[in-house]
Amino acid sequence: GEDVEQSLFLSVREGDSSVINCTYTDSSSTYLYWYKQEPGAGLQLLTYIFSNMDMKQDQRLTVLLNKKDKHLSLRIADTQTGDSAIYFCAESFNQAGTALIFGKGTTLSVSS
Amino acid sequence: NAGVTQTPKFQVLKTGQSMTLQCAQDMNHNSMYWYRQDPGMGLRLIYYSASEGTTDKGEVPNGYNVSRLNKREFSLRLESAAPSQTSVYFCASSEAGRENYGYTFGSGTRLTVV
């Protein structure tokens, strides 16, 4: 079945770039997503990429998609302490693309 | 504020007790979802409802039932709670045909089964 894999932890210094990686299995996903979860809260959509794109940039965020290797990455430039959170990669679970399957999440810790 | 509302926020149950987790959204979304979040396991899909009147199983449906009461409400029922169902439960909704907008999540229900 579908599976989404992420590394569990990443620690960076404030001002550095962070790169969070994800691999997925369902090549038919139309969209791939990155969500952010702050402590005690639900998930919030951070950004997404359409499956026919290789790259998407949104302010400090850059998403790279390698469809051949089924690899997705999220780069956060100039990482701030407020970026400390859990980041989840997600792909479609069902054919309609309405239900998502999430990775286990990468905990990003930013030190000053 | 518009969004997804979950009740209750916290609950402690004894093994074997039953309860229903409530979820309502006021964004006129077609699709609604129930996930559970466990440490080191990420979010796992329990059930989803692509539209009013339909429900489908997700990754981990055993021990749960759902009801899509109307377009706004999607409830999750535990008929006989077990300690393995101790978790944080999230409800979410999305608009069909606008998958690029992603999900809107509720703030979660923290359930402990003793």
Side-chain angles (χ1 to χ4, degrees):
Chain A
E2 294 83 1
D3 196 15
V4 178
E5 298 285 341
Q6 298 178 240
S7 53
L8 294 183
F9 299 101
L10 177 64
S11 182
V12 301
R13 288 186 173 236
E14 193 172 23
D16 288 349
S17 291
S18 306
V19 179
I20 301 171
N21 294 301
C22 168
T23 57
Y24 62 95
T25 56
D26 186 359
S27 59
S28 66
S29 294
T30 304
Y31 291 97
L32 292 149
Y33 304 86
W34 285 103
Y35 280 79
K36 177 183 180 182
Q37 184 182 33
E38 296 183 348
L43 279 68
Q44 288 186 306
L45 179 66
L46 198 58
T47 188
Y48 67 93
I49 188 166
F50 192 53
S51 58
N52 69 353
M53 299 169 66
D54 297 324
M55 184 180 84
K56 179 181 178 183
Q57 191 145 2
D58 184 1
Q59 299 182 331
R60 292 191 296 121
L61 306 178
T62 303
V63 179
L64 296 178
L65 175 60
N66 181 328
K67 287 196 75 173
K68 175 176 171 287
D69 294 336
K70 296 181 184 175
H71 183 265
L72 183 72
S73 68
L74 173 70
R75 179 176 179 269
I76 306 172
D78 187 25
T79 311
Q80 303 297 306
T81 55
D83 295 323
S84 293
I86 305 175
Y87 291 81
F88 291 91
C89 170
E91 65 163 343
S92 301
F93 172 81
N94 59 339
Q95 279 197 335
T98 51
L100 300 182
I101 182 169
F102 289 83
K104 292 180 172 54
T106 298
T107 299
L108 175 64
S109 175
V110 183
S111 57
S112 57
Chain B
N1 291 337
V4 177
T5 302
Q6 291 184 236
T7 55
K9 292 192 185 304
F10 300 93
Q11 183 71 49
V12 178
L13 288 179
K14 292 185 178 180
T15 299
Q17 285 185 317
S18 62
M19 81 161 294
T20 300
L21 281 64
Q22 307 287 353
C23 175
Q25 53 92 6
D26 57 6
M27 297 168 287
N28 203 36
H29 285 171
N30 290 311
S31 304
M32 297 184 74
Y33 315 86
W34 277 105
Y35 287 85
R36 59 177 289 173
Q37 184 175 25
D38 303 290
M41 297 296 293
L43 273 80
R44 290 181 291 170
L45 180 64
I46 305 171
Y47 272 94
Y48 64 101
S49 171
S51 62
E52 187 179 354
T54 69
T55 60
D56 286 285
K57 294 179 181 180
E59 304 169 75
V60 289
N62 292 344
Y64 305 95
N65 285 301
V66 290
S67 295
R68 183 74 183 267
L69 304 169
N70 48 55
K71 193 170 186 180
R72 289 187 65 248
E73 298 171 286
F74 188 39
S75 63
L76 178 72
R77 183 160 178 84
L78 287 70
E79 288 292 350
S80 178
S84 61
Q85 294 178 305
T86 294
S87 187
V88 180
Y89 291 86
F90 287 100
C91 177
S93 69
S94 68
E95 187 167 347
R98 296 201 173 189
E99 284 71 27
N100 55 313
Y101 284 27
Y103 286 5
T104 300
F105 278 86
S107 57
T109 295
R110 282 150 182 79
L111 176 67
T112 301
V113 182
V114 297

